[in-house]
Amino acid sequence: MSGAGDLAVDVVVVGAGPAGENAAGRCAQGGLRVAIVERELVGGECSYWGCMPSKVLIRPGDVRAAARRVPGVAVGGLDVAAVLARRDEATGSWHDDRQLPWLAERDVTLLRGHGRLIADRTVEVAHPDGSVTTVRAARAVVLATGSRAVVPPIEGLGEAEPWDNRDVTAARHIPSRLIVLGGGAIGAEMAQAFRRLGAAEVTVLEGGERLVPREEPFAGEELAEAFAAEGIAVRTGVKVVAVRRSGDVTAILSDGTAVTGEEILVAVGRRPATGDLGLEAVGLTPGRPVEVDDDLRVPGNDWLYAVGDCNGRTLLTHMGKYQGRLAADAIAGKPVRDRGITPRVTFTDPQVCAVGLTEADAREAGHDVRCVSVPTGGVAGAWVQGSPFPGTSKLVVEAGRRVLLGATFTGPGVQELLHSATVAIAGAVPLDDLWHAVPSFPTVSEVWLRLLEEYGL
């Protein structure tokens, strides 16, 4: 919908990515009149330039690697054109037609254009045709504008036309040599995916001590070993001081060495997309995360909510969706609290799957913890999946209450182990009760039994 004029609703949501869609849909299902504003594509970053296309690019390499672990399975090559075509299918070729029926079924009004706060409970939408709609919300405004990739202030980097997450997931070709600046989830995933899709050289430059530096140390160490085995160069503890492009792109490092590639991917972090949101109209600072309480409400503005990446709490799609649901419930008058239990998966091979606190984070927070670790591949179900089956499984247990504070699983395709740990943490399930959650045999989930035995049950 576009066009000039005024619109009165109960709730207006600015941003139609996963967080905004969930907030809008749940409010509408509760009987409220809802409008949602989107300046790009309904479905947001995740659907077109993040989670979905990246995982489609990752999957073929994972399948080949899994097949190699099983004797007797013939492993062929990859049809890169077919992989890119499936990526295009996943994104709807960057059209959002498939997303629109979901809003229509819930009677959510879509306003295409750029939304800005201009007063309490009031959003002005500038449409692509130049017209303007003023939307007044009787109950609430929900901000769900997501985040954008950070391009650090490195000399020459901007002029070198670096790739960000949008460029790499929408790539039309596989570069022969790829430099990846940043060894977090996005950098690590795309480094391995593009190596497996045919890049002859991939170099990851990480300023920290290890890959995926926010996770348990063993995760980064195991990932580095896997990357080395696949011919991916990893350099940690390095700083890029300048970048030059003359045909190829060269990253100059603080130790005087240089790395040259066809493209350079910048994956060093993201910042909330709040710079042109009209935050100053309601006493907030543009360009910064919109701080919220645990009910996702902005302090001092009892009608204003912020969900997903734009509040800076946890920049993950599923957490944004969760917050969108919580905000909708709060708008409906229900008591809610963002408990901040965060599951996260880095979809490399081995995968790095974690929820809750790492051991270091738990100790820093003052918890008395006891930790146990076992090899993920030390169960029969892992052997059935193939060999070798590398990885480690670890539990962080609050010693006094004997409940989980965190868990990490590494290994091939172990992401489905994570939800059981999330349930255990969310429900504060004592270890003595988890002992009676019998894993099926032979499955990789039997690693839970090994962990509890290691704890002493």
Side-chain angles (χ1 to χ4, degrees), residues 322-338:
Y322 163 68
Q323 291 175 5
R325 297 190 294 270
L326 287 185
D329 286 349
I331 292 166
K334 301 176 183 178
V336 302
R337 180 172 66 89
D338 178 5

Side-chain angles (χ1 to χ4, degrees), residues 335-380:
V336 302
R337 180 172 66 89
D338 178 5
R339 296 179 60 182
I341 300 168
T342 306
R344 49 205 185 270
V345 178
T346 300
F347 288 86
T348 45
D349 182 10
Q351 290 181 346
V352 179
C353 310
V355 60
L357 301 177
T358 64
E359 178 178 355
D361 289 340
R363 294 191 187 280
E364 184 177 346
H367 294 287
D368 177 20
V369 298
R370 181 182 167 200
C371 302
V372 292
S373 300
V374 299
T376 307
V379 294

Side-chain angles (χ1 to χ4, degrees), residues 152-159 181 205 207 237-244 250-259 264:
I154 296 172
E155 179 188 332
L157 180 58
E159 294 75 19
L181 183 53
L205 306 175
V238 297
K239 181 179 180 181
V240 178
V241 296
V243 176
R244 303 282 185 264
T250 299
I252 302 165
L253 308 183
S254 55
D255 62 4
T257 63
V259 180
I264 182 168

Side-chain angles (χ1 to χ4, degrees), residues 125-331:
V125 182
H127 301 289
D129 63 5
S131 62
V132 175
T133 299
T134 301
V135 188
R136 292 181 173 83
R139 288 206 187 183
V141 175
V142 181
L143 306 178
T145 51
S147 61
R148 295 289 180 266
V150 170
V151 178
I154 296 172
E155 179 188 332
L157 180 58
E159 294 75 19
E161 300 178 343
W163 280 4
D164 62 12
N165 70 288
R166 291 191 170 202
D167 299 299
V168 72
T169 56
R172 307 312 309 180
H173 76 290
I174 306 302
S176 60
R177 292 171 297 162
L178 177 64
I179 303 169
V180 179
L181 183 53
I186 295 173
E189 288 178 357
M190 291 297 93
Q192 189 175 49
F194 273 67
R195 172 65 173 151
R196 289 177 166 185
L197 288 170
E201 297 178 11
V202 176
T203 303
V204 180
L205 306 175
E206 166 56 44
E209 297 179 358
R210 59 183 181 272
L211 297 174
V212 290
R214 296 183 180 180
E215 302 299 349
E216 296 282 3
F218 70 79
E221 294 162 4
E222 292 176 1
L223 199 52
E225 291 176 6
F227 278 16
E230 294 191 24
I232 300 170
V234 176
R235 297 185 63 177
T236 58
V238 297
K239 181 179 180 181
V240 178
V241 296
V243 176
R244 303 282 185 264
R245 182 182 284 279
S246 178
D248 284 344
V249 61
T250 299
I252 302 165
L253 308 183
S254 55
D255 62 4
T257 63
V259 180
T260 298
E262 183 181 339
E263 302 289 352
I264 182 168
L265 166 62
V266 178
V268 296
R270 300 183 67 79
R271 62 167 53 97
T274 61
D276 189 17
L277 196 51
L279 295 180
E280 64 277 7
V282 294
L284 302 175
T285 304
R288 296 185 60 81
V290 181
E291 294 185 11
V292 294
D293 292 330
D294 285 343
D295 60 359
L296 288 309
R297 199 185 318 249
V298 178
N301 297 277
D302 62 1
W303 52 272
L304 183 61
Y305 298 77
V307 298
D309 288 10
C310 74
N311 67 29
R313 285 196 157 200
T314 309
L315 278 62
L316 292 168
T317 295
H318 46 278
M319 296 306 292
K321 294 168 69 172
Y322 163 68
Q323 291 175 5
R325 297 190 294 270
L326 287 185
D329 286 349
I331 292 166

